[in-house]
Amino acid sequence: MTITLQQANAIIAGALDKAAELKLKPLSVAVLDQGGHLIAFQRQDGSSLMRFQIANGKASGALALGVSSRKIAEMAAERPSFVASLGSIASAGVVPVPGGVLVTDASGAVIGAVGISGDVSDNDEACALAGITASGLSART
């Protein structure tokens, strides 16, 4: 199973609803399938430059390593050379800060990932989690 366009759009809508509730800065939200292909992307009015690349890098890194971008940040603290080396081999990049979360189906299988950029990383992650919940899917953090 892979994430569908309908599910991806539901994740984005839920994430942006959470951002509005928290009165966050404009966000950019990327949803990728389990192969790292972009399924859906939205950028709020006023989003700054490079937000697509950052959101995509958070989601792509989570898929590449099988853990959230928050855990990649922890890896970077423990093994900085390893995480730094990923930049040259990961085509979409690896952004080692919170905001990239794996999406799982009811069986726990990874079906995609969401990456969000625009506010502080903890808020980006909170919106990713809210979006995943709103879609009826689950997050692996």
Side-chain angles (χ1 to χ4, degrees):
M1 180 173 168
T2 188
I3 196 163
T4 67
L5 179 60
Q6 182 178 357
Q7 290 168 324
N9 285 331
I11 289 169
I12 292 171
L16 296 180
D17 286 347
K18 184 68 170 178
E21 174 190 322
L22 298 174
K23 298 181 177 25
L24 302 183
K25 294 177 185 174
L27 298 183
S28 293
V29 185
V31 180
L32 312 181
D33 68 14
Q34 76 273 28
H37 303 99
L38 183 67
I39 299 299
F41 174 76
Q42 284 191 30
R43 167 189 177 280
Q44 288 186 299
D45 294 342
S47 291
S48 60
L49 295 176
M50 293 189 60
R51 292 301 173 181
F52 169 75
Q53 292 87 343
I54 297 167
N56 193 49
K58 287 179 180 185
S60 179
L63 286 167
L65 295 177
V67 296
S68 70
S69 61
R70 175 179 292 280
K71 294 224 192 272
I72 297 171
E74 293 168 8
M75 289 173 147
E78 297 165 3
R79 301 180 300 171
S81 296
F82 171 71
V83 174
S85 71
L86 297 174
S88 64
I89 61 173
S91 61
V94 174
V95 180
V97 295
V101 180
L102 296 170
V103 181
T104 63
D105 64 13
S107 72
V110 173
I111 61 170
V114 59
I116 299 183
S117 180
D119 204 88
V120 298
S121 295
D122 287 340
N123 288 339
D124 293 344
E125 182 182 67
C127 291
L129 294 170
I132 294 167
T133 298
S135 74
L137 295 168
S138 298
R140 182 181 297 166
T141 53

PDB file of all heavy atoms in Angstrom, residues 37-76:
ATOM      1  N   HIS A  37       8.682   9.754  -3.661  1.00  0.00           N
ATOM      2  CA  HIS A  37       8.093  10.563  -4.721  1.00  0.00           C
ATOM      3  C   HIS A  37       7.080  11.544  -4.130  1.00  0.00           C
ATOM      4  O   HIS A  37       6.263  11.164  -3.294  1.00  0.00           O
ATOM      5  CB  HIS A  37       7.397   9.681  -5.757  1.00  0.00           C
ATOM      6  CG  HIS A  37       8.320   8.675  -6.365  1.00  0.00           C
ATOM      7  ND1 HIS A  37       8.364   7.372  -5.937  1.00  0.00           N
ATOM      8  CD2 HIS A  37       9.258   8.803  -7.328  1.00  0.00           C
ATOM      9  CE1 HIS A  37       9.270   6.725  -6.625  1.00  0.00           C
ATOM     10  NE2 HIS A  37       9.844   7.563  -7.474  1.00  0.00           N
ATOM     11  N   LEU A  38       7.119  12.773  -4.607  1.00  0.00           N
ATOM     12  CA  LEU A  38       6.186  13.790  -4.124  1.00  0.00           C
ATOM     13  C   LEU A  38       4.769  13.438  -4.548  1.00  0.00           C
ATOM     14  O   LEU A  38       4.497  13.214  -5.724  1.00  0.00           O
ATOM     15  CB  LEU A  38       6.578  15.161  -4.680  1.00  0.00           C
ATOM     16  CG  LEU A  38       5.734  16.336  -4.217  1.00  0.00           C
ATOM     17  CD1 LEU A  38       5.938  16.589  -2.726  1.00  0.00           C
ATOM     18  CD2 LEU A  38       6.089  17.589  -5.017  1.00  0.00           C
ATOM     19  N   ILE A  39       3.866  13.382  -3.579  1.00  0.00           N
ATOM     20  CA  ILE A  39       2.450  13.139  -3.848  1.00  0.00           C
ATOM     21  C   ILE A  39       1.674  14.458  -3.797  1.00  0.00           C
ATOM     22  O   ILE A  39       0.831  14.725  -4.637  1.00  0.00           O
ATOM     23  CB  ILE A  39       1.851  12.140  -2.830  1.00  0.00           C
ATOM     24  CG1 ILE A  39       2.571  10.794  -2.914  1.00  0.00           C
ATOM     25  CG2 ILE A  39       0.351  11.953  -3.053  1.00  0.00           C
ATOM     26  CD1 ILE A  39       2.478  10.105  -4.266  1.00  0.00           C
ATOM     27  N   ALA A  40       1.969  15.307  -2.814  1.00  0.00           N
ATOM     28  CA  ALA A  40       1.269  16.586  -2.687  1.00  0.00           C
ATOM     29  C   ALA A  40       2.161  17.584  -1.963  1.00  0.00           C
ATOM     30  O   ALA A  40       2.978  17.207  -1.119  1.00  0.00           O
ATOM     31  CB  ALA A  40      -0.052  16.407  -1.936  1.00  0.00           C
ATOM     32  N   PHE A  41       1.966  18.851  -2.314  1.00  0.00           N
ATOM     33  CA  PHE A  41       2.723  19.928  -1.674  1.00  0.00           C
ATOM     34  C   PHE A  41       1.855  21.171  -1.656  1.00  0.00           C
ATOM     35  O   PHE A  41       1.179  21.480  -2.641  1.00  0.00           O
ATOM     36  CB  PHE A  41       4.011  20.231  -2.453  1.00  0.00           C
ATOM     37  CG  PHE A  41       4.762  21.421  -1.917  1.00  0.00           C
ATOM     38  CD1 PHE A  41       5.515  21.316  -0.754  1.00  0.00           C
ATOM     39  CD2 PHE A  41       4.703  22.648  -2.552  1.00  0.00           C
ATOM     40  CE1 PHE A  41       6.192  22.412  -0.241  1.00  0.00           C
ATOM     41  CE2 PHE A  41       5.374  23.751  -2.053  1.00  0.00           C
ATOM     42  CZ  PHE A  41       6.117  23.623  -0.898  1.00  0.00           C
ATOM     43  N   GLN A  42       1.874  21.862  -0.525  1.00  0.00           N
ATOM     44  CA  GLN A  42       1.238  23.178  -0.446  1.00  0.00           C
ATOM     45  C   GLN A  42       2.148  24.107   0.324  1.00  0.00           C
ATOM     46  O   GLN A  42       2.822  23.703   1.279  1.00  0.00           O
ATOM     47  CB  GLN A  42      -0.128  23.116   0.243  1.00  0.00           C
ATOM     48  CG  GLN A  42      -1.199  22.546  -0.657  1.00  0.00           C
ATOM     49  CD  GLN A  42      -2.575  22.733  -0.074  1.00  0.00           C
ATOM     50  OE1 GLN A  42      -2.851  23.681   0.644  1.00  0.00           O
ATOM     51  NE2 GLN A  42      -3.459  21.801  -0.385  1.00  0.00           N
ATOM     52  N   ARG A  43       2.140  25.342  -0.117  1.00  0.00           N
ATOM     53  CA  ARG A  43       2.945  26.401   0.481  1.00  0.00           C
ATOM     54  C   ARG A  43       2.001  27.549   0.807  1.00  0.00           C
ATOM     55  O   ARG A  43       1.312  28.046  -0.067  1.00  0.00           O
ATOM     56  CB  ARG A  43       3.991  26.797  -0.565  1.00  0.00           C
ATOM     57  CG  ARG A  43       4.711  28.003  -0.334  1.00  0.00           C
ATOM     58  CD  ARG A  43       5.542  28.347  -1.604  1.00  0.00           C
ATOM     59  NE  ARG A  43       6.194  29.590  -1.365  1.00  0.00           N
ATOM     60  CZ  ARG A  43       5.616  30.776  -1.470  1.00  0.00           C
ATOM     61  NH1 ARG A  43       4.378  30.872  -1.871  1.00  0.00           N
ATOM     62  NH2 ARG A  43       6.277  31.855  -1.177  1.00  0.00           N
ATOM     63  N   GLN A  44       1.950  27.938   2.081  1.00  0.00           N
ATOM     64  CA  GLN A  44       1.053  29.023   2.464  1.00  0.00           C
ATOM     65  C   GLN A  44       1.590  30.353   1.941  1.00  0.00           C
ATOM     66  O   GLN A  44       2.812  30.529   1.777  1.00  0.00           O
ATOM     67  CB  GLN A  44       0.914  29.094   3.988  1.00  0.00           C
ATOM     68  CG  GLN A  44       0.102  27.940   4.556  1.00  0.00           C
ATOM     69  CD  GLN A  44      -0.128  28.113   6.037  1.00  0.00           C
ATOM     70  OE1 GLN A  44       0.823  28.168   6.807  1.00  0.00           O
ATOM     71  NE2 GLN A  44      -1.394  28.190   6.441  1.00  0.00           N
ATOM     72  N   ASP A  45       0.667  31.265   1.703  1.00  0.00           N
ATOM     73  CA  ASP A  45       1.063  32.612   1.291  1.00  0.00           C
ATOM     74  C   ASP A  45       2.052  33.176   2.303  1.00  0.00           C
ATOM     75  O   ASP A  45       1.856  33.044   3.515  1.00  0.00           O
ATOM     76  CB  ASP A  45      -0.162  33.539   1.226  1.00  0.00           C
ATOM     77  CG  ASP A  45      -1.149  33.142   0.143  1.00  0.00           C
ATOM     78  OD1 ASP A  45      -0.751  32.381  -0.776  1.00  0.00           O
ATOM     79  OD2 ASP A  45      -2.304  33.582   0.208  1.00  0.00           O
ATOM     80  N   GLY A  46       3.104  33.777   1.802  1.00  0.00           N
ATOM     81  CA  GLY A  46       4.095  34.387   2.671  1.00  0.00           C
ATOM     82  C   GLY A  46       5.227  33.467   3.085  1.00  0.00           C
ATOM     83  O   GLY A  46       6.123  33.888   3.822  1.00  0.00           O
ATOM     84  N   SER A  47       5.201  32.201   2.636  1.00  0.00           N
ATOM     85  CA  SER A  47       6.303  31.291   2.967  1.00  0.00           C
ATOM     86  C   SER A  47       7.596  31.810   2.357  1.00  0.00           C
ATOM     87  O   SER A  47       7.605  32.310   1.238  1.00  0.00           O
ATOM     88  CB  SER A  47       6.024  29.883   2.421  1.00  0.00           C
ATOM     89  OG  SER A  47       4.967  29.281   3.113  1.00  0.00           O
ATOM     90  N   SER A  48       8.669  31.645   3.091  1.00  0.00           N
ATOM     91  CA  SER A  48       9.954  32.143   2.608  1.00  0.00           C
ATOM     92  C   SER A  48      10.589  31.165   1.622  1.00  0.00           C
ATOM     93  O   SER A  48      10.120  30.043   1.429  1.00  0.00           O
ATOM     94  CB  SER A  48      10.884  32.429   3.786  1.00  0.00           C
ATOM     95  OG  SER A  48      11.098  31.254   4.521  1.00  0.00           O
ATOM     96  N   LEU A  49      11.668  31.607   1.023  1.00  0.00           N
ATOM     97  CA  LEU A  49      12.376  30.812   0.032  1.00  0.00           C
ATOM     98  C   LEU A  49      12.909  29.507   0.616  1.00  0.00           C
ATOM     99  O   LEU A  49      13.183  29.420   1.810  1.00  0.00           O
ATOM    100  CB  LEU A  49      13.553  31.605  -0.526  1.00  0.00           C
ATOM    101  CG  LEU A  49      13.196  32.858  -1.331  1.00  0.00           C
ATOM    102  CD1 LEU A  49      14.452  33.599  -1.726  1.00  0.00           C
ATOM    103  CD2 LEU A  49      12.364  32.504  -2.541  1.00  0.00           C
ATOM    104  N   MET A  50      13.080  28.527  -0.218  1.00  0.00           N
ATOM    105  CA  MET A  50      13.656  27.214   0.090  1.00  0.00           C
ATOM    106  C   MET A  50      12.799  26.349   1.006  1.00  0.00           C
ATOM    107  O   MET A  50      13.239  25.286   1.436  1.00  0.00           O
ATOM    108  CB  MET A  50      15.077  27.338   0.657  1.00  0.00           C
ATOM    109  CG  MET A  50      16.071  27.850  -0.368  1.00  0.00           C
ATOM    110  SD  MET A  50      17.775  27.747   0.187  1.00  0.00           S
ATOM    111  CE  MET A  50      17.966  25.992   0.462  1.00  0.00           C
ATOM    112  N   ARG A  51      11.596  26.758   1.302  1.00  0.00           N
ATOM    113  CA  ARG A  51      10.759  25.957   2.209  1.00  0.00           C
ATOM    114  C   ARG A  51      10.399  24.613   1.588  1.00  0.00           C
ATOM    115  O   ARG A  51      10.306  23.611   2.300  1.00  0.00           O
ATOM    116  CB  ARG A  51       9.513  26.719   2.643  1.00  0.00           C
ATOM    117  CG  ARG A  51       9.819  27.901   3.542  1.00  0.00           C
ATOM    118  CD  ARG A  51      10.540  27.452   4.788  1.00  0.00           C
ATOM    119  NE  ARG A  51      10.971  28.601   5.568  1.00  0.00           N
ATOM    120  CZ  ARG A  51      11.640  28.505   6.695  1.00  0.00           C
ATOM    121  NH1 ARG A  51      11.974  27.326   7.167  1.00  0.00           N
ATOM    122  NH2 ARG A  51      12.012  29.578   7.346  1.00  0.00           N
ATOM    123  N   PHE A  52      10.213  24.558   0.253  1.00  0.00           N
ATOM    124  CA  PHE A  52       9.947  23.262  -0.368  1.00  0.00           C
ATOM    125  C   PHE A  52      11.132  22.323  -0.161  1.00  0.00           C
ATOM    126  O   PHE A  52      10.965  21.173   0.247  1.00  0.00           O
ATOM    127  CB  PHE A  52       9.660  23.381  -1.871  1.00  0.00           C
ATOM    128  CG  PHE A  52       9.652  22.031  -2.538  1.00  0.00           C
ATOM    129  CD1 PHE A  52       8.575  21.173  -2.377  1.00  0.00           C
ATOM    130  CD2 PHE A  52      10.741  21.593  -3.283  1.00  0.00           C
ATOM    131  CE1 PHE A  52       8.578  19.900  -2.942  1.00  0.00           C
ATOM    132  CE2 PHE A  52      10.759  20.324  -3.845  1.00  0.00           C
ATOM    133  CZ  PHE A  52       9.678  19.478  -3.686  1.00  0.00           C
ATOM    134  N   GLN A  53      12.333  22.805  -0.431  1.00  0.00           N
ATOM    135  CA  GLN A  53      13.521  21.964  -0.310  1.00  0.00           C
ATOM    136  C   GLN A  53      13.718  21.471   1.127  1.00  0.00           C
ATOM    137  O   GLN A  53      14.101  20.315   1.350  1.00  0.00           O
ATOM    138  CB  GLN A  53      14.766  22.716  -0.781  1.00  0.00           C
ATOM    139  CG  GLN A  53      14.794  22.994  -2.265  1.00  0.00           C
ATOM    140  CD  GLN A  53      14.091  24.293  -2.672  1.00  0.00           C
ATOM    141  OE1 GLN A  53      13.301  24.871  -1.914  1.00  0.00           O
ATOM    142  NE2 GLN A  53      14.363  24.744  -3.880  1.00  0.00           N
ATOM    143  N   ILE A  54      13.457  22.343   2.090  1.00  0.00           N
ATOM    144  CA  ILE A  54      13.623  21.956   3.489  1.00  0.00           C
ATOM    145  C   ILE A  54      12.567  20.922   3.888  1.00  0.00           C
ATOM    146  O   ILE A  54      12.892  19.885   4.481  1.00  0.00           O
ATOM    147  CB  ILE A  54      13.576  23.189   4.418  1.00  0.00           C
ATOM    148  CG1 ILE A  54      14.745  24.134   4.093  1.00  0.00           C
ATOM    149  CG2 ILE A  54      13.595  22.771   5.886  1.00  0.00           C
ATOM    150  CD1 ILE A  54      14.619  25.511   4.729  1.00  0.00           C
ATOM    151  N   ALA A  55      11.298  21.185   3.556  1.00  0.00           N
ATOM    152  CA  ALA A  55      10.223  20.237   3.889  1.00  0.00           C
ATOM    153  C   ALA A  55      10.470  18.893   3.200  1.00  0.00           C
ATOM    154  O   ALA A  55      10.340  17.827   3.821  1.00  0.00           O
ATOM    155  CB  ALA A  55       8.869  20.810   3.480  1.00  0.00           C
ATOM    156  N   ASN A  56      10.838  18.941   1.933  1.00  0.00           N
ATOM    157  CA  ASN A  56      11.110  17.723   1.182  1.00  0.00           C
ATOM    158  C   ASN A  56      12.302  16.967   1.780  1.00  0.00           C
ATOM    159  O   ASN A  56      12.275  15.740   1.904  1.00  0.00           O
ATOM    160  CB  ASN A  56      11.365  18.072  -0.286  1.00  0.00           C
ATOM    161  CG  ASN A  56      11.351  16.869  -1.182  1.00  0.00           C
ATOM    162  OD1 ASN A  56      10.445  16.052  -1.126  1.00  0.00           O
ATOM    163  ND2 ASN A  56      12.362  16.767  -2.031  1.00  0.00           N
ATOM    164  N   GLY A  57      13.334  17.697   2.184  1.00  0.00           N
ATOM    165  CA  GLY A  57      14.506  17.078   2.802  1.00  0.00           C
ATOM    166  C   GLY A  57      14.202  16.432   4.140  1.00  0.00           C
ATOM    167  O   GLY A  57      14.764  15.386   4.485  1.00  0.00           O
ATOM    168  N   LYS A  58      13.302  17.037   4.910  1.00  0.00           N
ATOM    169  CA  LYS A  58      12.903  16.432   6.189  1.00  0.00           C
ATOM    170  C   LYS A  58      12.184  15.108   5.945  1.00  0.00           C
ATOM    171  O   LYS A  58      12.488  14.089   6.567  1.00  0.00           O
ATOM    172  CB  LYS A  58      11.997  17.379   6.980  1.00  0.00           C
ATOM    173  CG  LYS A  58      12.706  18.580   7.582  1.00  0.00           C
ATOM    174  CD  LYS A  58      11.710  19.461   8.330  1.00  0.00           C
ATOM    175  CE  LYS A  58      12.355  20.683   8.949  1.00  0.00           C
ATOM    176  NZ  LYS A  58      11.401  21.455   9.771  1.00  0.00           N
ATOM    177  N   ALA A  59      11.216  15.107   5.011  1.00  0.00           N
ATOM    178  CA  ALA A  59      10.460  13.891   4.709  1.00  0.00           C
ATOM    179  C   ALA A  59      11.342  12.837   4.050  1.00  0.00           C
ATOM    180  O   ALA A  59      11.297  11.657   4.413  1.00  0.00           O
ATOM    181  CB  ALA A  59       9.268  14.218   3.816  1.00  0.00           C
ATOM    182  N   SER A  60      12.154  13.252   3.101  1.00  0.00           N
ATOM    183  CA  SER A  60      13.022  12.330   2.380  1.00  0.00           C
ATOM    184  C   SER A  60      14.050  11.680   3.310  1.00  0.00           C
ATOM    185  O   SER A  60      14.306  10.473   3.229  1.00  0.00           O
ATOM    186  CB  SER A  60      13.720  13.069   1.248  1.00  0.00           C
ATOM    187  OG  SER A  60      14.576  12.220   0.542  1.00  0.00           O
ATOM    188  N   GLY A  61      14.618  12.465   4.191  1.00  0.00           N
ATOM    189  CA  GLY A  61      15.575  11.924   5.153  1.00  0.00           C
ATOM    190  C   GLY A  61      14.932  10.902   6.066  1.00  0.00           C
ATOM    191  O   GLY A  61      15.535   9.865   6.384  1.00  0.00           O
ATOM    192  N   ALA A  62      13.702  11.192   6.498  1.00  0.00           N
ATOM    193  CA  ALA A  62      12.992  10.235   7.361  1.00  0.00           C
ATOM    194  C   ALA A  62      12.792   8.911   6.631  1.00  0.00           C
ATOM    195  O   ALA A  62      13.029   7.840   7.194  1.00  0.00           O
ATOM    196  CB  ALA A  62      11.648  10.827   7.796  1.00  0.00           C
ATOM    197  N   LEU A  63      12.393   8.978   5.369  1.00  0.00           N
ATOM    198  CA  LEU A  63      12.218   7.754   4.593  1.00  0.00           C
ATOM    199  C   LEU A  63      13.544   7.027   4.386  1.00  0.00           C
ATOM    200  O   LEU A  63      13.617   5.804   4.506  1.00  0.00           O
ATOM    201  CB  LEU A  63      11.589   8.075   3.228  1.00  0.00           C
ATOM    202  CG  LEU A  63      10.106   8.425   3.259  1.00  0.00           C
ATOM    203  CD1 LEU A  63       9.686   9.036   1.933  1.00  0.00           C
ATOM    204  CD2 LEU A  63       9.272   7.198   3.585  1.00  0.00           C
ATOM    205  N   ALA A  64      14.587   7.777   4.079  1.00  0.00           N
ATOM    206  CA  ALA A  64      15.886   7.173   3.787  1.00  0.00           C
ATOM    207  C   ALA A  64      16.449   6.406   4.977  1.00  0.00           C
ATOM    208  O   ALA A  64      17.042   5.334   4.806  1.00  0.00           O
ATOM    209  CB  ALA A  64      16.878   8.249   3.342  1.00  0.00           C
ATOM    210  N   LEU A  65      16.263   6.947   6.172  1.00  0.00           N
ATOM    211  CA  LEU A  65      16.841   6.319   7.359  1.00  0.00           C
ATOM    212  C   LEU A  65      15.830   5.545   8.205  1.00  0.00           C
ATOM    213  O   LEU A  65      16.199   4.878   9.173  1.00  0.00           O
ATOM    214  CB  LEU A  65      17.538   7.375   8.214  1.00  0.00           C
ATOM    215  CG  LEU A  65      18.754   8.026   7.538  1.00  0.00           C
ATOM    216  CD1 LEU A  65      19.340   9.111   8.408  1.00  0.00           C
ATOM    217  CD2 LEU A  65      19.802   6.983   7.203  1.00  0.00           C
ATOM    218  N   GLY A  66      14.549   5.652   7.851  1.00  0.00           N
ATOM    219  CA  GLY A  66      13.528   4.892   8.568  1.00  0.00           C
ATOM    220  C   GLY A  66      13.196   5.419   9.943  1.00  0.00           C
ATOM    221  O   GLY A  66      12.648   4.693  10.771  1.00  0.00           O
ATOM    222  N   VAL A  67      13.520   6.687  10.183  1.00  0.00           N
ATOM    223  CA  VAL A  67      13.219   7.329  11.469  1.00  0.00           C
ATOM    224  C   VAL A  67      12.813   8.775  11.207  1.00  0.00           C
ATOM    225  O   VAL A  67      13.085   9.331  10.151  1.00  0.00           O
ATOM    226  CB  VAL A  67      14.431   7.295  12.439  1.00  0.00           C
ATOM    227  CG1 VAL A  67      14.797   5.873  12.808  1.00  0.00           C
ATOM    228  CG2 VAL A  67      15.625   8.032  11.858  1.00  0.00           C
ATOM    229  N   SER A  68      12.187   9.393  12.185  1.00  0.00           N
ATOM    230  CA  SER A  68      11.787  10.796  12.036  1.00  0.00           C
ATOM    231  C   SER A  68      13.012  11.697  11.919  1.00  0.00           C
ATOM    232  O   SER A  68      14.119  11.326  12.330  1.00  0.00           O
ATOM    233  CB  SER A  68      10.950  11.236  13.237  1.00  0.00           C
ATOM    234  OG  SER A  68      11.772  11.326  14.389  1.00  0.00           O
ATOM    235  N   SER A  69      12.804  12.874  11.374  1.00  0.00           N
ATOM    236  CA  SER A  69      13.918  13.818  11.278  1.00  0.00           C
ATOM    237  C   SER A  69      14.374  14.277  12.664  1.00  0.00           C
ATOM    238  O   SER A  69      15.523  14.689  12.830  1.00  0.00           O
ATOM    239  CB  SER A  69      13.567  15.009  10.374  1.00  0.00           C
ATOM    240  OG  SER A  69      12.467  15.732  10.871  1.00  0.00           O
ATOM    241  N   ARG A  70      13.514  14.182  13.668  1.00  0.00           N
ATOM    242  CA  ARG A  70      13.927  14.471  15.050  1.00  0.00           C
ATOM    243  C   ARG A  70      15.001  13.461  15.476  1.00  0.00           C
ATOM    244  O   ARG A  70      16.005  13.813  16.064  1.00  0.00           O
ATOM    245  CB  ARG A  70      12.742  14.421  16.010  1.00  0.00           C
ATOM    246  CG  ARG A  70      13.152  14.604  17.487  1.00  0.00           C
ATOM    247  CD  ARG A  70      11.973  14.581  18.426  1.00  0.00           C
ATOM    248  NE  ARG A  70      11.109  15.738  18.266  1.00  0.00           N
ATOM    249  CZ  ARG A  70      11.340  16.937  18.772  1.00  0.00           C
ATOM    250  NH1 ARG A  70      12.442  17.176  19.474  1.00  0.00           N
ATOM    251  NH2 ARG A  70      10.487  17.923  18.581  1.00  0.00           N
ATOM    252  N   LYS A  71      14.772  12.190  15.154  1.00  0.00           N
ATOM    253  CA  LYS A  71      15.763  11.161  15.502  1.00  0.00           C
ATOM    254  C   LYS A  71      17.043  11.347  14.685  1.00  0.00           C
ATOM    255  O   LYS A  71      18.135  11.062  15.176  1.00  0.00           O
ATOM    256  CB  LYS A  71      15.175   9.779  15.281  1.00  0.00           C
ATOM    257  CG  LYS A  71      14.033   9.479  16.227  1.00  0.00           C
ATOM    258  CD  LYS A  71      14.147   8.095  16.796  1.00  0.00           C
ATOM    259  CE  LYS A  71      12.895   7.684  17.490  1.00  0.00           C
ATOM    260  NZ  LYS A  71      12.712   7.990  18.811  1.00  0.00           N
ATOM    261  N   ILE A  72      16.918  11.843  13.463  1.00  0.00           N
ATOM    262  CA  ILE A  72      18.109  12.124  12.659  1.00  0.00           C
ATOM    263  C   ILE A  72      18.917  13.239  13.322  1.00  0.00           C
ATOM    264  O   ILE A  72      20.147  13.205  13.329  1.00  0.00           O
ATOM    265  CB  ILE A  72      17.742  12.467  11.204  1.00  0.00           C
ATOM    266  CG1 ILE A  72      17.057  11.261  10.548  1.00  0.00           C
ATOM    267  CG2 ILE A  72      18.979  12.870  10.411  1.00  0.00           C
ATOM    268  CD1 ILE A  72      16.449  11.544   9.193  1.00  0.00           C
ATOM    269  N   ALA A  73      18.233  14.214  13.918  1.00  0.00           N
ATOM    270  CA  ALA A  73      18.931  15.276  14.654  1.00  0.00           C
ATOM    271  C   ALA A  73      19.714  14.687  15.825  1.00  0.00           C
ATOM    272  O   ALA A  73      20.855  15.095  16.090  1.00  0.00           O
ATOM    273  CB  ALA A  73      17.940  16.326  15.147  1.00  0.00           C
ATOM    274  N   GLU A  74      19.110  13.728  16.508  1.00  0.00           N
ATOM    275  CA  GLU A  74      19.812  13.057  17.606  1.00  0.00           C
ATOM    276  C   GLU A  74      21.022  12.287  17.074  1.00  0.00           C
ATOM    277  O   GLU A  74      22.087  12.296  17.688  1.00  0.00           O
ATOM    278  CB  GLU A  74      18.849  12.114  18.343  1.00  0.00           C
ATOM    279  CG  GLU A  74      17.745  12.850  19.085  1.00  0.00           C
ATOM    280  CD  GLU A  74      16.633  11.932  19.582  1.00  0.00           C
ATOM    281  OE1 GLU A  74      16.769  10.682  19.492  1.00  0.00           O
ATOM    282  OE2 GLU A  74      15.607  12.467  20.056  1.00  0.00           O
ATOM    283  N   MET A  75      20.853  11.630  15.925  1.00  0.00           N
ATOM    284  CA  MET A  75      21.976  10.935  15.290  1.00  0.00           C
ATOM    285  C   MET A  75      23.098  11.915  14.955  1.00  0.00           C
ATOM    286  O   MET A  75      24.277  11.589  15.103  1.00  0.00           O
ATOM    287  CB  MET A  75      21.540  10.261  13.988  1.00  0.00           C
ATOM    288  CG  MET A  75      20.668   9.085  14.108  1.00  0.00           C
ATOM    289  SD  MET A  75      20.154   8.654  12.420  1.00  0.00           S
ATOM    290  CE  MET A  75      20.044   6.910  12.559  1.00  0.00           C
ATOM    291  N   ALA A  76      22.715  13.104  14.472  1.00  0.00           N
ATOM    292  CA  ALA A  76      23.703  14.105  14.089  1.00  0.00           C
ATOM    293  C   ALA A  76      24.542  14.537  15.281  1.00  0.00           C
ATOM    294  O   ALA A  76      25.736  14.817  15.145  1.00  0.00           O
ATOM    295  CB  ALA A  76      23.023  15.311  13.448  1.00  0.00           C
TER     296      ALA A  76
END
